[in-house]
Amino acid sequence: NLIEANPVPDEDEAAEIIDALQAQIESAQQELQVAQSQVAQSQVAAMAVIVETNDNQLIKDDDDSKKKRVIMWLVLILGMIAVVVGLAVSFATNRAAGVEVEGNEDLNQQSAIMESYSLIHLASKVGEEKNELLGTSNAISVGGKFLVSGSPGVVGGGDEIGEGKIFNLTSLVEGVSSTNKTNTTEASNSNTTLSITTNIITNSTSGDRCGAAVTATALGRHYAIGCPSTTGLGYVQVFEWDFTSSPPKQVGITLYGKEIDDGFGVNIALSQRPPGRDDLRLVIGSNSGYAQLWDIVDGLWHRLDDKNGGDGGFLNHPEGKAGGEVTVSLPGSPGFERNLFVGYPSFDSDRGIVRIVVVGGNTGNVSLTERFDGDIFLQGSRQGDRFGTDIDTDIEGKFVAIGAGGGGYVRAISFYANTSSEEVKVRPVGCEIRLNSSSIGSRFDFGSSVATGRVPYRGCPRCGF
């Protein structure tokens, strides 16, 4: 189910490339030897001409004049040799590196392409209450038409009740699309204030902190909101929206955590399942070392990771840590929800790992299989990195962004298939994203929250991935 995203060369192809580069280097060295031989012949001929044409003059000159002329000509000829050798070495080096002498045209073109894009500030929204914490968690549908934002600090009659807010961005997005065909428009609409289309009402009570986590399906019809209560059992609710000003209606029953203040619902992901629009898959993380995977079919929830409903869930912390955080992510497109990504940032003294789990079978007969167990790209570089602090995937699960909040970096990964063995492997996409030393703020916060573009990952051949 892991789909190839721009295969990279296998070992045989890499060997062929190395052989080709070595052949180019040997050819350049031969050309250099020929150039040196020609220079040497020219030197001998030049010396012969000098001796022949200036023989009478040299006889007449005293010994000091003879020495000065000979030294002058030798310096001139040695200078010519140095210039020729320098040009030959530069040419050979550039050919071996695959760079044209005139400059890297592809790199220049890519820079020009990147410079043609600009960020456009469409609108903004400030929380309506003090300590509302609007924007603690956000999710956006494909195409950017609908935004859901969590406000776990909303009071409304109690302390930290929380709620979710849905914003319809259709008019803003379509306005930019119709006037920005060349991707060069400068920031516009910067004074526009987002209007709340509707609220997600959870009937929460004091301390529930609903909106600490929010998620949405690809088209924005279904939403889930996490309420990791600090005063009671944490819970998650799923809603269906009809794209009107009416509040979304809850789908299925409320799902509750195991214990008070265990963080159940602090991290959630939702995906639509074929064939019906109301068939959904939901994965829920916690701060207590466990996660749960659920399917809803015909309005009824079915747990997939632990059929017996006990504590031995397949997605529990691999070290059995009852207090370890578990983060989760699911692709948003129907047909790709079988790939599940689960992070354990407290694993191995906070080194952190991410597990990739493939969900097989149907709702009534499910099998969970871990892939790429122990892969170096699915774990932190060192203890304390907290790799897996947050995870997000593109709509098809081909591109995964993983935050390491302790190490202050984000790593992006994708998958490719070996052309000879067809074995699928994990590979990094580009370099790890880190703050430079001059950046404002602590680097240890960087990577605590990540998000990817909710569009299918197609790679960038010109960029090398």
Side-chain angles (χ1 to χ4, degrees):
N1 294 304
L2 293 171
I3 298 180
E4 175 183 352
N6 283 327
V8 299
D10 59 15
E11 296 180 357
D12 294 337
E13 292 174 334
E16 293 177 358
I17 294 174
I18 293 173
D19 292 341
L21 290 176
Q22 290 176 344
Q24 290 181 352
I25 294 174
E26 293 174 358
S27 176
Q29 290 175 341
Q30 293 176 358
E31 294 174 1
L32 176 60
Q33 293 175 356
V34 172
Q36 290 174 333
S37 176
Q38 292 174 347
V39 171
Q41 293 175 2
S42 300
Q43 177 184 357
V44 174
M47 291 297 297
V49 171
I50 292 170
V51 173
E52 180 178 356
T53 57
N54 294 289
D55 183 61
N56 293 331
Q57 183 66 35
L58 289 174
I59 293 174
K60 296 178 181 178
D61 291 341
D62 55 20
D63 291 340
D64 290 339
S65 298
K66 293 177 183 178
K67 292 180 180 179
K68 289 180 180 179
R69 283 190 174 91
V70 170
I71 292 173
M72 181 183 68
W73 282 104
L74 286 175
V75 170
L76 179 61
I77 293 171
L78 289 175
M80 294 172 61
I81 294 174
V83 171
V84 173
V85 171
L87 289 174
V89 170
S90 177
F91 176 76
T93 301
N94 286 330
R95 285 189 61 181
V99 180
E100 297 296 337
V101 176
E102 294 78 12
N104 192 327
E105 184 177 354
D106 283 346
L107 181 59
N108 294 334
Q109 290 178 354
Q110 177 62 20
S111 298
I113 291 173
M114 295 304 294
E115 290 174 356
S116 70
Y117 285 84
S118 61
L119 294 176
I120 301 174
H121 181 190
L122 295 179
S124 58
K125 176 63 179 178
V126 178
E128 298 176 351
E129 301 178 12
K130 184 179 179 181
N131 298 323
E132 179 179 328
L133 303 180
L134 175 67
T136 296
S137 182
N138 301 284
I140 196 166
S141 64
V142 172
K145 293 185 176 182
F146 304 105
L147 167 70
V148 58
S149 184
S151 299
V154 167
V155 179
D159 182 33
E160 290 188 329
I161 289 179
E163 66 182 11
K165 304 177 187 293
I166 297 178
F167 302 91
N168 190 337
L169 312 180
T170 304
S171 60
L172 295 174
V173 174
E174 290 179 348
V176 172
S177 300
S178 62
T179 60
N180 189 27
K181 300 298 184 181
T182 60
N183 297 320
T184 56
T185 300
E186 296 181 356
S188 60
N189 299 325
S190 57
N191 295 322
T192 301
T193 299
L194 286 175
S195 297
I196 299 173
T197 303
T198 187
N199 291 336
I200 300 177
I201 302 173
T202 59
N203 295 321
S204 51
T205 59
S206 179
D208 283 358
R209 303 190 69 247
C210 290
V214 293
T215 183
T217 54
L219 299 180
R221 177 175 290 277
H222 292 91
Y223 298 88
I225 184 167
C227 308
S229 177
T230 57
T231 58
L233 294 176
Y235 60 92
V236 175
Q237 294 179 344
V238 176
F239 297 84
E240 181 179 7
W241 185 42
D242 60 3
F243 304 110
T244 69
S245 59
S246 300
K249 297 180 180 180
Q250 184 172 350
V251 176
I253 62 173
T254 301
L255 300 175
Y256 289 92
K258 298 178 181 179
E259 299 177 357
I260 294 177
D261 196 20
D262 66 1
F264 183 77
V266 72
N267 195 278
I268 56 179
L270 183 67
S271 181
Q272 187 174 354
R273 296 181 54 250
R277 71 175 190 178
D278 294 329
D279 291 348
L280 305 171
R281 176 159 292 168
L282 173 68
V283 59
I284 308 169
S286 73
N287 288 334
S288 299
Y290 73 96
Q292 295 180 0
L293 180 64
W294 296 82
D295 273 0
I296 187 169
V297 180
D298 297 330
L300 298 177
W301 286 110
H302 304 267
R303 187 171 174 186
L304 306 183
D305 62 300
D306 191 343
K307 297 180 181 179
N308 297 323
D311 295 330
F314 186 84
L315 306 179
N316 287 1
H317 198 291
E319 293 178 329
K321 289 185 177 180
E325 304 95 320
V326 183
T327 58
V328 292
S329 185
L330 273 174
S333 182
F336 297 94
E337 78 287 343
R338 294 184 180 278
N339 302 325
L340 169 64
F341 303 87
V342 189
Y344 306 88
S346 63
F347 180 82
D348 186 19
S349 300
D350 288 347
R351 176 186 299 274
I353 63 168
V354 171
R355 296 170 64 194
I356 300 178
V357 178
V358 178
V359 184
N362 300 316
T363 300
N365 185 22
V366 170
S367 63
L368 302 180
T369 306
E370 183 173 358
R371 298 289 304 276
F372 314 112
D373 183 18
D375 191 288
I376 188 173
F377 297 123
L378 296 177
Q379 55 187 287
S381 302
R382 59 188 63 83
Q383 292 179 341
D385 278 0
R386 294 184 55 77
F387 187 74
T389 303
D390 196 21
I391 313 170
D392 195 30
T393 77
D394 73 330
I395 193 173
E396 294 180 353
K398 296 179 181 180
F399 177 88
V400 187
I402 305 171
Y409 63 88
V410 175
R411 182 183 302 163
I413 63 170
S414 186
F415 308 94
Y416 74 96
N418 187 298
T419 55
S420 58
S421 64
E422 297 184 354
E423 178 185 5
V424 179
K425 296 183 179 180
V426 178
R427 69 165 182 184
V429 177
C431 301
E432 290 177 349
I433 304 172
R434 299 175 180 267
L435 289 178
N436 57 45
S437 57
S438 62
S439 298
I440 299 175
S442 171
R443 68 181 179 89
F444 296 103
D445 293 329
F446 189 75
S448 296
S449 181
V450 297
T452 68
R454 302 296 285 179
V455 296
Y457 174 63
R458 293 294 178 259
C460 177
R462 179 173 292 175
C463 309
F465 58 83

